[in-house]
């Protein structure tokens, strides 16, 4: 039984209707709620704004905390056909058994290769081709050949469901009205009533004779309303006749046919939640970026229209999501159902003038404190969390007593079931936007701060014993390198084999210099390569070289090697000026 709510009129609320063309929205705001209507596009002193188009982030960022608007920035991620297919496809790859509630979809021409492979496996398969950004059935057609698709266009191609469930031998789809009342966390409600839209020609499987008949294969009202066979519903109480019927009458029909309607509703609810989980990180990012100080999660709400089709076994599939569902009222049934949806959604959002008064009072107090103390007070993280929990508890209590025709489907008892989808969607979103880079750095820093594992005395001794042979082997070499960082190191042909034989130095004439980072400073000691057959020591090459404090004077080597003078005079001169003692 649907709860009938009493609405208190409040003429202190201002509703801006400058950007909507629907008379039913104006009627609900003025006649049912008693709000003032503002048709001025430049007016910014409103409590709620209703618009028929998407809201850019800039609009939300300029709003005051008490104001509300009927769209979320970023909802295009499921309202556009190409983004819906892309976002659902990403999660289907990760959860193939959970995300199987929409037809197989491809983005054309991006997924042309995969589409060709599919067509080779299913040769008699029909495809339904939709322009990626169209609505009301414009530009949609059926085909069996990829050659019929415009190669310069951009489309969403889906496998056509050839065995839909039929009522009166007509194909139909369900328009489900969904209210998204918050994005972080998600708050999702489904209205008990909606619309069932029928095709106007009796259905038969697509063939060469009928695949161009859109009044048979499409259920869009805009496509079928001009067909002579279309029957308008003139009586709102007689909601189970004509080509547009109430959702509740369709559920009653399915129940009479022996189907478990509660199971069908649960499957639809599950598909709706999973669809919105796929874009929750996008919605939350846009919302937090525009209103970082908001703790109520109430500045945006949105009434979505989910188009759902049933197959021959009454299994639901989501076809589209409309972020601006049509609120035209061409029949009394339209007026009755759509008025309920808009009224119940506005009641749930609890729009009052108290929020504006409290905000303006708080702003005056902050201005006075700033004038007296010269400081700007900000809430701490703990205070913000406490405020969030208090506001959430108040909101839960309000929603529980003012659901009207809505029922809450998320958050629900099986909250953990859907958390994994949101977490994976967040991971994909971070990778797409590059947010994982900073996150990885943060995790690395946190790991470095963690205390090291305490080892036993025996483990430390064992590790030292293992390192001893290596340390003894390279002790002399390492100490010599540390003490003589600026002296050229001569590498014989035997040692040279240990280096990369395909190095570019093999093609250069002798001597060749490679620079290594010095352990003593910024000086890079050169390494000289000789191609003599026999390895030669420094004394054999330079018998007259002077020894200073036990080390070879590198200036002597430099003076006798004219090639080095030509190649790196600046490097050597810098070393000699820095280390004039020969070191």
């Amino acid at each position: 039984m649907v709860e009938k709510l009493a609405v208190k009129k409040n003429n202190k609320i201002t509703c801006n209707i400058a950007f909507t063309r629907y008379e039913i929205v104006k009627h609900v705001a003025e006649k049912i709620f008693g709000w003032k209507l503002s048709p001025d596009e430049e007016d910014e002193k409103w409590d709620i704004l209703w618009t028929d188009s998407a809201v850019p982030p800039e609009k939300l960022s300029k709003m005051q905390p008490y104001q509300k608007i009927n769209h979320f920035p970023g909802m295009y991620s499921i309202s556009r056909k190409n983004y819906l297919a892309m976002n659902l496809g990403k999660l289907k790859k990760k959860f193939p058994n959970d995300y199987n509630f929409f037809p197989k979809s491809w983005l054309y021409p991006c997924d042309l290769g995969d589409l060709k492979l599919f067509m080779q496996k299913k040769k008699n398969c029909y495809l339904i081709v939709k322009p990626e950004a169209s609505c009301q059935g414009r530009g949609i057609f059926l085909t069996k050949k990829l050659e019929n698709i415009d190669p310069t266009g951009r489309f969403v191609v889906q496998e056509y469901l050839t065995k839909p469930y039929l009522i009166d031998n007509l194909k139909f789809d369900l328009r489900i009205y969904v209210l998204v009342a918050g994005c972080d966390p998600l708050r999702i409600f489904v209205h008990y009533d909606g619309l069932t839209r029928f095709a106007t020609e009796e259905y038969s499987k697509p063939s060469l004779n009928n695949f161009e008949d859109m009044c048979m294969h499409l259920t869009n009202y805009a496509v079928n309303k001009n067909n002579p066979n279309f029957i308008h519903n003139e009586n709102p109480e007689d909601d189970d006749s004509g080509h547009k019927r109430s959702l509740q009458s369709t559920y009653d029909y399915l129940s009479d046919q022996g189907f478990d309607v509660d199971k069908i509703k649960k499957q639809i609810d599950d598909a709706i939640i999973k669809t919105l989980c796929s874009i929750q990180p996008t919605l939350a990012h846009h919302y937090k970026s525009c209103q970082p100080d908001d703790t109520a999660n109430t500045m945006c709400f949105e009434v979505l229209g989910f188009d759902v089709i049933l197959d021959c076994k009454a299994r639901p599939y989501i076809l589209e999501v409309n972020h601006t569902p049509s609120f035209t009222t061409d029949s009394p049934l339209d007026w009755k159902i759509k008025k309920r949806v808009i009224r119940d959604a506005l009641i749930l959002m609890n729009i009052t003038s108290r929020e504006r008064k409290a905000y303006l009072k708080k702003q005056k107090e902050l201005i006075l404190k700033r004038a007296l103390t010269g400081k700007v007070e900000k809430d701490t993280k703990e205070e913000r969390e406490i405020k969030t929990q208090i506001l959430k508890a108040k909101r839960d209590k309000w929603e529980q007593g003012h659901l009207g025709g809505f029922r809450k489907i998320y958050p629900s008892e099986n909250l953990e079931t859907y958390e994994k989808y949101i977490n994976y969607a967040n991971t994909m979103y971070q990778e797409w936007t590059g947010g994982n880079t900073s996150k990885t750095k943060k995790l690395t820093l946190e790991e470095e701060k963690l205390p090291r594992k305490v080892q036993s005395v025996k483990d430390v001794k064992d590790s030292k014993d293992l390192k001893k042979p290596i340390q003894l082997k390279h002790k002399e070499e390492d100490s010599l390198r540390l003490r003589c960082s600026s002296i050229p190191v001569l590498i014989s042909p035997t040692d040279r084999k240990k280096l990369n034989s395909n190095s570019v130095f093999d093609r250069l004439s002798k001597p060749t210099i490679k620079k290594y980072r010095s352990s003593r400073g910024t000086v890079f000691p050169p390494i000289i390569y000789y191609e003599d057959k026999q390895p030669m020591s420094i004394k054999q090459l330079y018998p007259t070289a002077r020894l200073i404090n036990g080390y070879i004077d590198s200036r002597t080597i430099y003076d006798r090697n004219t090639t080095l003078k030509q190649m790196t005079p600046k490097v050597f001169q810098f070393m000699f000026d820095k280390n004039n003692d020969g070191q």
Side-chain angles (χ1 to χ4, degrees), residues 131-148:
E132 63 178 23
S134 69
C135 60
Q136 297 182 340
R138 289 190 290 265
I140 300 177
F141 63 94
L142 270 65
T143 184
K144 285 183 69 175
K145 299 179 181 179
L146 297 178
E147 293 79 11
N148 296 335

Side-chain angles (χ1 to χ4, degrees), residues 163-198:
K163 295 181 179 180
Y165 189 84
L166 305 177
I167 296 179
D168 298 336
N169 207 27
L170 297 174
K171 185 179 177 181
F172 67 92
D173 73 348
L174 310 177
R175 168 58 62 87
I176 312 291
Y177 290 107
V178 178
L179 171 65
V180 182
C183 65
D184 191 20
L186 281 174
R187 303 180 78 88
I188 309 172
F189 302 82
V190 173
H191 205 271
Y192 84 100
D193 212 351
L195 294 170
T196 304
R197 306 174 302 175
F198 286 81

Side-chain angles (χ1 to χ4, degrees), residues 176-365:
I176 312 291
Y177 290 107
V178 178
L179 171 65
V180 182
C183 65
D184 191 20
L186 281 174
R187 303 180 78 88
I188 309 172
F189 302 82
V190 173
H191 205 271
Y192 84 100
D193 212 351
L195 294 170
T196 304
R197 306 174 302 175
F198 286 81
T200 49
E201 299 289 344
E202 290 192 359
Y203 180 81
S204 61
K205 288 186 178 181
S207 63
L208 294 175
N209 298 325
N210 65 20
F211 78 96
E212 293 182 351
D213 189 353
M214 293 297 101
C215 290
M216 176 189 294
H217 298 291
L218 298 185
T219 58
N220 302 73
Y221 172 71
V223 173
N224 289 279
K225 67 179 181 179
N226 296 322
N227 191 302
N229 297 332
F230 189 87
I231 300 174
H232 291 273
N233 188 308
E234 301 296 338
N235 184 2
E237 302 303 324
D238 182 22
D239 59 356
D240 59 349
S241 62
H243 288 93
K244 185 184 282 189
R245 308 177 189 179
S246 71
L247 177 66
Q248 199 59 41
S249 69
T250 304
Y251 285 151
D252 293 339
Y253 176 86
L254 292 172
S255 179
D256 294 340
Q257 297 300 312
F259 290 99
D260 188 349
V261 174
D262 290 335
K263 181 181 178 182
I264 295 173
K265 288 182 179 180
K266 287 181 180 178
Q267 290 175 338
I268 294 174
D269 293 349
D270 182 66
I272 290 171
I273 296 171
K274 289 176 180 176
T275 301
L276 288 167
C277 283
S278 68
I279 63 158
Q280 190 275 337
T282 304
L283 299 180
H285 171 75
H286 282 285
Y287 190 87
K288 288 287 184 68
S289 299
C290 297
Q291 292 291 336
D293 298 327
D294 179 63
T295 56
N297 190 29
T298 58
M299 294 182 66
C300 294
F301 68 97
E302 191 151 0
V303 178
L304 300 172
F306 277 73
D307 293 341
V308 179
I309 191 171
L310 304 179
D311 65 7
C312 59
K313 297 181 180 180
R315 181 185 175 187
Y317 290 85
I318 288 181
L319 298 178
E320 294 179 10
V321 180
N322 299 274
H323 79 293
T324 54
S326 174
F327 285 113
T328 53
T329 53
D330 295 340
S331 68
L333 183 64
D334 276 332
W335 181 270
K336 174 185 174 182
I337 293 175
K338 294 176 181 179
K339 183 179 74 171
R340 283 178 184 172
V341 172
I342 297 172
R343 182 199 64 188
D344 293 347
L346 293 176
I347 291 174
L348 264 180
M349 293 310 298
N350 191 20
I351 302 168
T352 64
S353 58
R354 292 191 300 270
E355 294 182 20
R356 181 177 71 250
K357 291 178 181 177
Y359 171 76
L360 295 176
K361 182 180 178 181
K362 185 178 179 181
Q363 288 299 109
K364 289 180 181 179
E365 291 176 355

